[in-house]
Amino acid sequence: MQLSVTVRGSDADVVSYLIAKNPNNPYERDEKGFKVRLAYPVFTKEEVQFVIYVKPDPIDLVRNSSDLFDITHYINDREFAVSSLFITSIRKALGTALNGKPDEKYEKWVDHLFEIKLEFGPVATDLRNQEIADLFEPMGYKVEIESGESVFFEKSSARFVTISGRQSVQNTLKHVSILIPVIDNYKHYFLDEREVEKLERYGEGWLETHPLKQMIVKRALRFNALISKSKYYEKKPLIRNQEESPRIRLNDQRYEAILNVIRTLPQRETIVDLGAGEGRLSVQLGFVEGVKEILSIEPSSKARLKAIERFGQVINKEGYVEPQSLIGSLFYFDSRLQNKDIIILCEVIEHIDEERLPKIFNTIFNDYRPKTLIVTTPNQEYNVVYEMDEAMRHNDHRYEWTRAEFAQHVELWSQNYPYQISIQGIGEEHPTYGQPTQMAILRREEA
């Protein structure tokens, strides 16, 4: 993954002092499992091009994980895709330029406007090309976007983006530092209050007046608990047309809805995330006040390795409870899961053959006996809003239920056990088709 910056104009060579990198000395540093390199393919008085390149070490990324013999974990897209991980890796290398703190002799050049062209990609995104252009054009950039189609894939989420305009080096780097993760709309590390500080530091001077400010803030911070802390967030409702509406990933909305339910429960010390996948929900549970134990249960070694890596990225966070990643399956009784306060099945049941579900829920209610069970699954009715016709949302889904079907199944599973049922929706609500995700909360009456 790489980013290229070309600067043209009189005294363009001063850029080497603004980024504090000598063109005669190749820059190479190791940064937390990544090798960061910077080089100047072009360096003249009137034109300078520098390229910063990041290569992850797949072995180092899993050095402290279990199941190291699973070689598939070493194969991933992080070497190729520009993402939040890439931005985190290069911020230190470009810190002098980003913070506008070169040698005193060159401080007058920090705000100098050059003719700049910046290129990056591939970056995976759910945004349309025009939406990407709308992020950069308000700052005066001309935007060119090349899609990642090839002879192998007719459609691709990958984009190669070129922006050009008259800008200072510092501002250009600030812009991409915030907007590349916004385009990617995924964070490869745990988000906390420091993410708000970064947004405010690098958004200063341009984000305040950006027409898509709310969209940028929401995609950059993702969780309402962080979004509300940003000075750029406007609490009053905004009138937007469909083209400008900021999209928060449905997965994030699910996690936040589950966390909000858990925070209201009087008994939440012990939690089981059953079918935890790569641990995205488990790691969030570690920050819920009152939680003392989290069992992150997953049968896939590949997914568990990614979860363990994710858990390990949260270091020295006060009050954080690190989840335990354990091999386990819904199909087999596991005494470690008995008598916990909460069991969660987040987007799990739709991946299981329907005829196997009664036995699974009998084990949960009769043997595990959680005080609260939380189950989420897609609302099949909402697929009309996605214009999906007869297709399901994932090729591994065995079925997707309507709201009535889900309620009927929940009632059937729990009918012989003392659980009170509450069902609610998650996500943007349609007046006819409801919300995209449905969530059942079952609380044991004696609890």
Side-chain angles (χ1 to χ4, degrees):
M1 42 191 175
Q2 66 180 34
L3 180 147
S4 169
V5 180
T6 303
V7 178
R8 297 185 177 91
S10 178
D11 296 309
D13 57 339
V14 80
V15 168
S16 64
Y17 295 100
L18 295 178
I19 67 172
K21 300 293 178 287
N22 189 331
N24 298 315
N25 298 327
Y27 175 89
E28 183 174 307
R29 295 290 186 275
D30 292 322
E31 181 71 25
K32 295 181 181 178
F34 300 87
K35 192 170 291 294
V36 182
R37 298 184 177 96
L38 187 146
Y40 292 87
V42 178
F43 193 88
T44 67
K45 186 76 172 174
E46 291 78 27
E47 181 178 353
V48 170
Q49 181 189 30
F50 66 88
V51 177
I52 188 162
Y53 172 76
V54 176
K55 180 177 176 62
D57 181 346
I59 295 178
D60 188 70
L61 287 173
V62 296
R63 195 178 302 279
N64 297 320
S65 301
S66 60
D67 299 333
L68 290 178
F69 296 105
D70 184 0
I71 194 171
T72 59
H73 185 62
Y74 302 147
I75 305 169
N76 54 65
D77 64 351
R78 283 173 286 185
E79 182 173 349
F80 311 104
V82 172
S83 65
S84 59
L85 205 59
F86 173 79
I87 293 298
T88 300
S89 301
I90 70 171
R91 272 179 178 150
K92 187 173 182 179
L94 297 176
T96 300
L98 273 168
N99 297 318
K101 300 294 184 182
D103 187 273
E104 184 177 354
K105 181 179 177 182
Y106 298 96
E107 287 182 351
K108 64 181 181 180
W109 293 93
V110 170
D111 297 323
H112 184 78
L113 302 183
F114 296 96
E115 291 297 329
I116 290 183
K117 180 171 76 171
L118 186 145
E119 302 167 273
F120 63 87
V123 56
T125 183
D126 61 334
L127 296 179
R128 297 185 293 272
N129 287 354
Q130 185 56 54
E131 291 175 306
I132 297 173
D134 290 343
L135 291 173
F136 290 101
E137 287 175 349
M139 286 84 79
Y141 292 104
K142 176 184 176 183
V143 182
E144 300 174 52
I145 301 171
E146 180 183 347
S147 298
E149 287 89 2
S150 69
V151 294
F152 302 104
F153 301 100
E154 293 182 1
K155 294 183 178 180
S156 172
S157 64
R159 303 286 190 277
F160 297 86
V161 180
T162 300
I163 60 173
S164 54
R166 192 165 177 79
Q167 295 280 349
S168 70
V169 173
Q170 181 188 26
N171 280 344
T172 299
L173 294 177
K174 279 184 173 182
H175 297 155
V176 296
S177 179
I178 295 298
L179 294 180
I180 285 177
V182 166
I183 294 170
D184 182 44
N185 199 28
Y186 183 79
K187 291 297 177 71
H188 298 77
Y189 52 86
F190 185 77
L191 301 181
D192 58 20
E193 285 78 4
R194 290 178 298 180
E195 207 68 16
V196 180
E197 296 171 7
K198 284 187 284 188
L199 179 68
E200 295 184 351
R201 186 187 321 139
Y202 299 127
E204 185 177 1
W206 63 275
L207 186 51
E208 300 94 330
T209 58
H210 198 292
L212 298 182
K213 176 175 63 176
Q214 297 304 298
M215 170 186 173
I216 294 168
V217 171
K218 290 187 176 183
R219 287 174 71 100
L221 300 179
R222 300 184 69 186
F223 298 103
N224 286 341
L226 296 179
I227 292 169
S228 62
K229 293 181 180 180
S230 172
K231 67 180 183 181
Y232 299 124
Y233 177 60
E234 297 178 9
K235 295 181 175 61
K236 62 182 181 180
L238 300 177
I239 299 174
R240 308 179 182 92
N241 60 40
Q242 189 175 7
E243 296 295 316
E244 296 172 333
S245 177
R247 294 195 291 270
I248 301 177
R249 288 162 59 99
L250 179 58
N251 220 31
D252 296 334
Q253 295 181 62
R254 288 192 198 104
Y255 295 162
E256 187 154 7
I258 292 170
L259 294 171
N260 286 339
V261 168
I262 291 172
R263 291 187 184 104
T264 68
L265 298 175
Q267 295 167 302
R268 54 178 184 273
E269 290 188 359
T270 56
I271 302 179
V272 177
D273 186 3
L274 196 50
E278 297 176 6
R280 293 188 176 94
L281 174 59
S282 295
V283 76
Q284 295 285 344
L285 295 169
F287 283 87
V288 176
E289 185 179 355
V291 173
K292 295 182 179 179
E293 179 191 60
I294 302 160
L295 303 184
S296 183
I297 309 297
E298 170 60 37
S300 166
S301 294
K302 181 178 178 181
R304 285 187 59 243
L305 281 168
K306 292 183 178 180
I308 292 168
E309 177 188 333
R310 176 172 282 108
F311 302 157
Q313 290 173 344
V314 185
I315 302 172
N316 298 326
K317 300 291 197 310
E318 185 177 354
Y320 173 67
V321 177
E322 182 171 351
Q324 302 175 52
S325 180
L326 303 175
I327 294 176
S329 170
L330 287 87
F331 304 127
Y332 305 103
F333 172 76
D334 188 339
S335 61
R336 296 173 297 181
L337 312 187
Q338 287 184 292
N339 300 314
K340 301 300 183 183
D341 290 329
I342 303 166
I343 289 181
I344 303 168
L345 290 167
C346 179
E347 304 299 290
V348 172
I349 62 172
E350 62 271 11
H351 296 272
I352 300 170
D353 293 332
E354 189 171 337
E355 62 270 17
R356 305 186 74 173
L357 290 176
K359 184 177 180 180
I360 288 171
F361 281 95
N362 181 66
T363 299
I364 291 174
F365 291 129
N366 189 61
D367 300 319
Y368 296 158
R369 295 167 57 89
K371 295 180 178 66
T372 301
L373 173 67
I374 300 174
V375 184
T376 75
T377 193
N379 169 20
Q380 186 270 338
E381 298 165 79
Y382 202 86
N383 291 354
V384 175
V385 181
Y386 294 141
E387 300 179 356
M388 295 182 63
D389 299 324
E390 300 298 321
M392 287 189 280
R393 298 185 202 176
H394 191 281
N395 56 16
D396 187 54
H397 286 185
R398 307 303 203 262
Y399 49 82
E400 290 173 358
W401 289 328
T402 65
R403 289 167 289 177
E405 289 170 335
F406 180 55
Q408 183 179 11
H409 279 89
V410 171
E411 182 71 33
L412 187 63
W413 298 330
S414 61
Q415 64 180 349
N416 296 322
Y417 303 99
Y419 281 84
Q420 296 177 346
I421 302 171
S422 171
I423 297 179
Q424 62 189 60
I426 301 172
E428 185 175 355
E429 186 169 8
H430 186 279
T432 303
Y433 305 113
Q435 293 164 275
T437 294
Q438 42 195 340
M439 173 170 63
I441 304 154
L442 298 98
R443 296 190 61 188
R444 196 172 183 89
E445 291 178 354
E446 64 190 42

